[in-house]
Amino acid sequence: AHGVFWATIRRQSYLMHSSMKFMLVSVFPDYGCSNSTCNLPKTLFGVGQLNHLHEQMMPGKKALLILSNGISAKKYGYLNRTEKELHLAGVETVLFDQIEPNPTKTTVMMGAAVARQEKCDFLVALGGGSCIDASKAIAVMATNKGDLWDYIQNGTGKRQPIAINPLPIIAITTTAGTGSETDAGGVITNTETNEKTPIKSPLLFPKLAIIDPELMLTVPPKYTAYQGFDALFHNIEGYLSCKANLMSEMIALEAVDQISTWLPVAVQDGANIEARERVAFGNYLGGLEMCTSSNMSEHSLEHALTAYHQELPHGAGLIMLSKAYFTYMIEHHVCDERFVALAKKMGRTDAEKPEEFIIALEELKEKCDVSDLKMSDYGIVPDEFPKMAANAKSAMAFLFEGDRMELKEEDCVNILNAAYQ
């Protein structure tokens, strides 16, 4: 199953000074691209690129602008700038600013109803991964009948095909964490069933992505760290996955290098535009990594945590799990040489043993001031771990297919217990 993907990157900064194309020829098992051609988003990457939105070909005439239920996009002028760009392009806008940090099915259905009522013909997601993830689900439900869970392929989802093409999406990311502006999946929480799992389809790649580090300068230090570690783990898991290949390995190793080097700088000095851009680049690569390889069950376990505890930031949950999870893999010697390679990219250039990856990981947590995160601070208790393990093996079962060793529910419980503080 091979697909040819193109991403056009327009840059006006230090990484490159001319337009360039990446041709990705690899296996895309998670997005249903077998025997077909799927288009990655055209991507405007670099400082000031939001200012070029009005120059782009718009996929419609009336946009539903999707924002979080927070205040940052309005407070720092990102909403006004985006509306101005769209209006210059002749686009009418309608605002839907209700998306939670872990977006829910209920909110998605509300957004889809607004899109239909207002007769919007495309969506603009302005915000972090939650907004962009939610926009993909809204895009499906704005054009298709029934309930979102009719189209979910995991857990209690009814696994129906998407009958009518979703609305087109423009994704403008204000964080560097999920890579959702690059890929074709959006993670949504069903609070009725405590499932956190993605809607996925090659129809859900955004038509255009804008990754402008200027929009990330106001992210607070701890959220910069949480988001950066999310991007880091996308790439680490993709490199360790049994679905890794020559393309994904190249992407992952470069991203791990960029994030490990520059995330501590961005955390300590949020105004450092070079650090913001480098981490954003690693995040962008993480989105490509999820297309060319696969995440592993670390993400499945974390989604189970946040499915039951909505207030837990996804990146923080991954940080809490990471030492126990990767130590379990190292103890079982699933791919020692890959852990050594990662340790070298994370600064331990003379690494010879897989355990040095854990040392490098813990050093990076210290530099980013996230080494003291505790599950107990979010109300999580060990009695929940059996149901969380079962949840991970159901709602996010497909990511266990990326593991190099089988993890049973009891193994998952053991990892959760080892990670608990």
Side-chain angles (χ1 to χ4, degrees):
H2 289 78
V4 179
F5 284 62
W6 293 92
T8 303
I9 299 182
R10 180 175 178 176
R11 293 299 310 275
Q12 294 179 344
S13 59
Y14 66 93
L15 283 177
M16 55 195 79
H17 295 278
S18 61
S19 295
M20 123 179 231
K21 288 187 176 181
F22 288 113
M23 179 171 154
L24 306 183
V25 184
S26 190
V27 180
F28 292 75
D30 291 336
Y31 295 115
C33 298
S34 177
N35 300 318
S36 67
T37 299
C38 305
N39 292 313
L40 282 172
K42 176 182 179 181
T43 301
L44 305 185
F45 186 103
V47 176
Q49 287 301 320
L50 178 59
N51 301 329
H52 296 282
L53 174 59
H54 72 277
E55 301 167 2
Q56 309 308 307
M57 182 177 295
M58 295 293 124
K61 293 295 185 181
K62 188 173 185 180
L64 183 68
L65 252 171
I66 299 172
L67 269 69
S68 77
N69 56 10
I71 63 171
S72 59
K74 299 172 184 176
K75 177 180 178 180
Y76 296 111
Y78 308 150
L79 173 59
N80 287 340
R81 289 179 60 189
T82 301
E83 287 178 322
K84 180 180 177 181
E85 289 289 318
L86 291 169
H87 295 161
L88 282 173
V91 172
E92 184 181 352
T93 57
V94 177
L95 181 62
F96 182 73
D97 55 356
Q98 300 297 316
I99 306 303
E100 310 96 331
N102 288 301
T104 64
K105 184 189 78 167
T106 300
T107 304
V108 163
M109 297 302 293
M110 289 171 52
V114 173
R116 290 193 301 270
Q117 179 181 336
E118 297 289 340
K119 296 182 171 55
C120 297
D121 51 9
F122 74 107
L123 309 177
V124 176
L126 174 64
S130 296
C131 288
I132 301 172
D133 279 8
S135 73
K136 294 170 185 176
I138 291 171
V140 172
M141 297 316 302
T143 59
N144 288 271
K145 296 180 180 180
D147 183 81
L148 176 64
W149 240 243
D150 294 339
Y151 306 98
I152 294 293
Q153 303 299 308
N154 312 299
T156 63
K158 296 183 179 179
R159 295 169 170 78
Q160 293 181 16
I162 298 172
I164 303 173
N165 282 352
L167 293 182
I169 299 168
I170 292 177
I172 305 171
T173 183
T174 60
T175 67
T178 69
S180 189
E181 66 278 3
T182 309
D183 67 28
V187 177
I188 307 297
T189 298
N190 185 337
T191 56
E192 298 167 5
T193 61
N194 291 116
E195 292 174 292
K196 184 181 177 185
T197 195
I199 180 81
K200 299 186 300 178
S201 168
L203 300 171
L204 293 175
F205 282 105
K207 301 300 181 186
L208 172 67
I210 295 180
I211 307 171
D212 185 340
E214 283 186 343
L215 308 184
M216 304 171 189
L217 292 171
T218 55
V219 179
K222 72 173 182 179
Y223 289 106
T224 297
Y226 296 165
Q227 295 154 10
F229 270 91
D230 187 15
L232 179 72
F233 292 131
H234 289 158
N235 289 288
I236 287 173
E237 291 176 39
Y239 183 72
L240 297 174
S241 170
C242 63
K243 297 181 181 181
N245 52 74
L246 288 175
M247 177 62 74
S248 72
E249 290 165 2
M250 178 187 71
I251 293 168
L253 290 175
E254 177 63 23
V256 170
D257 189 356
Q258 294 282 343
I259 296 170
S260 298
T261 301
W262 290 95
L263 181 59
V265 181
V267 170
Q268 300 300 328
D269 179 11
N272 187 314
I273 194 66
E274 181 177 7
R276 291 290 189 182
E277 188 166 34
R278 293 277 188 161
V279 175
F281 183 55
N283 173 58
Y284 171 74
L285 293 178
L288 299 182
E289 183 68 12
M290 287 185 283
C291 294
T292 57
S293 181
S294 170
N295 286 156
M296 294 167 61
S297 57
E298 184 197 19
H299 264 73
S300 300
L301 292 173
E302 198 295 316
H303 283 189
L305 293 179
T306 44
Y308 288 98
H309 294 270
Q310 279 281 103
E311 70 283 0
L312 173 63
H314 173 58
L318 289 170
I319 292 167
M320 294 173 188
L321 288 170
S322 58
K323 181 179 180 180
Y325 179 84
F326 292 117
T327 295
Y328 196 85
M329 298 293 168
I330 289 170
E331 288 173 347
H332 288 80
H333 300 285
V334 293
C335 52
D336 287 356
E337 74 290 346
R338 287 180 180 265
F339 280 109
V340 172
L342 288 169
K344 290 179 178 179
K345 286 294 181 180
M346 295 176 70
R348 299 189 71 82
T349 55
D350 297 327
E352 296 179 351
K353 298 179 180 180
E355 291 82 2
E356 292 182 75
F357 166 79
I358 300 297
I359 297 173
L361 180 61
E362 294 304 299
E363 288 175 344
L364 184 60
K365 291 179 188 177
E366 290 279 354
K367 291 176 183 177
C368 295
D369 298 326
V370 293
S371 58
D372 295 328
L373 293 174
K374 298 178 181 179
M375 291 187 195
S376 56
D377 289 342
Y378 292 89
I380 300 170
V381 295
D383 288 348
E384 298 179 275
F385 292 160
K387 72 178 181 182
M388 288 177 171
N391 181 294
K393 293 283 287 184
S394 173
M396 292 294 292
F398 68 99
L399 289 186
F400 285 83
E401 298 172 6
D403 293 349
R404 290 179 182 265
M405 62 174 289
E406 181 184 2
L407 287 184
K408 298 179 180 179
E409 283 188 26
E410 61 190 74
D411 299 314
C412 295
V413 172
N414 289 337
I415 291 171
L416 290 167
N417 275 310
Y420 183 76
Q421 292 187 66

